[in-house]
Amino acid sequence: MIFDADNHYYEPSDCFTRFMPSDRVDDAIRVVGEGDSARVVVGDRPFSFLKEPFADTHVKPGALREMLRAMKAGLAPEDNPVVEPVQPAYRERAARLALMDEQGVDAMVLFPTVAVCVEHFMKDDPARTYLNVHAFNRWLHEEWGYGTDGRIFGVPLMSLLDLDSALAELDAVLDRGARFIHLRPGPQGGRNPADPFFDPFWSRVDEAGLTVTFHISESGFNEMYSAHWGEDPNPSSHQQSAFQWTSFYGDLPIMQTLAGMIFMNFFDRFPNVRVMSVENGSLWVPYLMAAMDKMKGMGRNGPWPGGYLAGRPSEVFREKVFVSPYHEEDVVALADTIGASQVLFGSDYPHAEGLAEPLAFRESLAGLGAADQDLIMGETLVGLAAAP
């Protein structure tokens, strides 16, 4: 069974507006203006994280290095050899299923390109956030589905900015058969996402046996930290400095999120909840596990709002957290660290950062036994997608 934990689509410009109430369209994430003056806004705020997020062209799958070289050379999109029109399989379900058959992919967890990056721009407006989340999740269900076919598991968005609204949206996606949900890494409404305040939400997730995904996102950490270091507080994704990539984006949000959940004794309270880290890489995993084990002792006399954590934090991580590493990383070493059963194959197809051919990921598994390779390439994910 080949089950890809990290596939993407390219959203059309109406993904937030199609199901937005007509009297609230001004709150939607949408394109305003025409031609050279067109821009994407989130309500009344410019969306700056992605350049031309709803464009009809994209960088070819797996062409990251060529893309970065072209950007450095200042090539216009029309002169960039790695830019091509958006393919039907990146926007249409039937075409994607046909492509999956060609690629030898049996099933996939399917993430947005734009929608995982927008919540930061609405963080101070819960009403606007939930209007857009609800409209988007309805669009996602109509266009891609939530996985009831056993092949394409579209992942609906969640937010914990407002508990009552979060509960209503969770019920809506559960009614449509969702098996995965997405939260952006980082704090939620000024709280740890595992704060007991959110227990009514997590109780329903636990009862449904959902898998929670934390895909790399615009978590707002650049805005929190960059200005204090003299950096642009809201750079677009591929205009971040090397310092920002290292310090504020990627590793830091997911490390803090998982440590926050583990030290809040989250998994003792909700044993049926599984967590996937997607497209956050894995360089941070050994460090985080070692740091948590040490710092549990240092913090023994501090507060434990979710109850004292019994045992080693690293063992909780090994049991409850599943990691989809970058294909260029040492995947075998990661499997040795957390167990092959906790490692998930993710191609990031069709993004430039990912693989041009998803099954090429297996090359990074050389040295592992056949049984461990099968777990990573899909067997573990079959269990995570299954209903209890």
Side-chain angles (χ1 to χ4, degrees), residues 57-386:
T57 59
H58 67 97
V59 179
K60 295 178 181 178
L64 176 63
R65 289 180 178 83
E66 294 88 343
M67 178 190 77
L68 294 175
R69 282 196 290 267
M71 289 175 63
K72 186 175 182 179
L75 291 181
E78 60 269 18
D79 299 322
N80 191 330
V82 299
V83 172
E84 65 180 7
V86 171
Q87 303 298 302
Y90 308 155
R91 283 190 172 161
E92 300 172 13
R93 177 183 172 79
R96 188 55 162 263
L97 286 167
L99 179 61
M100 290 168 64
D101 292 339
E102 292 176 17
Q103 294 175 329
V105 175
D106 299 306
M108 61 173 58
V109 183
L110 192 64
F111 290 96
T113 296
V114 179
V116 292
C117 303
V118 298
E119 187 181 344
H120 168 63
F121 296 86
M122 304 181 287
K123 66 182 186 302
D124 299 322
D125 193 334
R128 178 176 289 163
T129 296
Y130 287 99
L131 280 168
N132 279 281
V133 164
H134 184 68
F136 180 84
N137 287 342
R138 288 187 62 190
W139 171 86
L140 173 64
H141 184 256
E142 179 176 278
E143 291 294 317
W144 293 101
Y146 291 167
T148 53
D149 67 341
R151 299 205 68 187
I152 295 179
F153 290 81
V155 183
L157 306 179
M158 289 287 131
S159 171
L160 296 177
L161 289 179
D162 178 80
L163 181 57
D164 289 340
S165 298
L167 288 168
E169 190 59 30
L170 178 60
D171 285 344
V173 302
L174 284 173
D175 287 345
R176 299 186 188 114
R179 297 304 312 142
F180 298 87
I181 56 173
H182 178 265
L183 283 173
R184 70 169 184 157
Q188 292 278 329
R191 298 176 185 266
N192 185 326
D195 189 303
F197 176 82
F198 297 122
D199 279 5
F201 177 88
W202 291 118
S203 291
R204 296 190 197 184
V205 173
D206 185 79
E207 182 180 1
L210 294 182
T211 296
V212 180
T213 65
F214 290 101
H215 190 284
I216 193 169
S217 306
E218 169 50 298
S219 291
F221 279 54
N222 271 317
E223 189 170 75
M224 279 192 277
Y225 296 111
S226 288
H228 299 293
W229 290 89
E231 301 269 337
D232 180 354
N234 278 297
S236 59
S237 63
H238 290 291
Q239 299 296 327
Q240 298 178 87
S241 69
F243 178 63
Q244 288 174 316
W245 276 100
T246 301
S247 304
F248 313 136
Y249 186 72
D251 291 7
L252 187 63
I254 190 62
M255 288 172 64
Q256 290 188 3
T257 300
L258 296 176
M261 296 180 81
I262 289 171
F263 282 127
M264 195 63 78
N265 210 14
F266 175 86
F267 296 104
D268 186 60
R269 304 198 321 271
F270 303 107
N272 295 321
V273 179
R274 291 78 57 91
V275 168
M276 284 170 51
S277 169
V278 182
E279 206 177 323
N280 296 294
S282 62
L283 297 178
W284 49 271
V285 170
Y287 168 77
L288 178 63
M289 293 170 66
M292 288 192 300
D293 283 351
K294 178 178 180 178
M295 299 310 170
K296 179 192 172 186
M298 295 296 292
R300 65 170 63 89
N301 296 320
W304 295 88
Y308 185 76
L309 176 68
R312 298 169 69 88
S314 60
E315 291 306 314
V316 178
F317 188 104
R318 287 189 179 95
E319 180 182 356
K320 298 296 185 178
V321 178
F322 300 80
V323 178
S324 178
Y326 295 131
H327 65 90
E328 70 272 17
E329 295 175 338
D330 191 338
V331 183
V332 174
L334 177 65
D336 289 341
T337 300
I338 63 174
S341 64
Q342 306 305 113
V343 179
L344 303 173
F345 145 57
S347 69
D348 195 30
Y349 186 88
H351 285 172
E353 298 90 341
L355 292 163
E357 294 293 335
L359 266 63
F361 188 93
R362 195 182 283 273
E363 297 172 8
S364 64
L365 306 182
L368 292 176
D372 284 345
Q373 291 194 26
D374 289 345
L375 286 172
I376 293 170
M377 293 301 294
E379 287 187 4
T380 293
L381 200 48
V382 171
L384 294 180

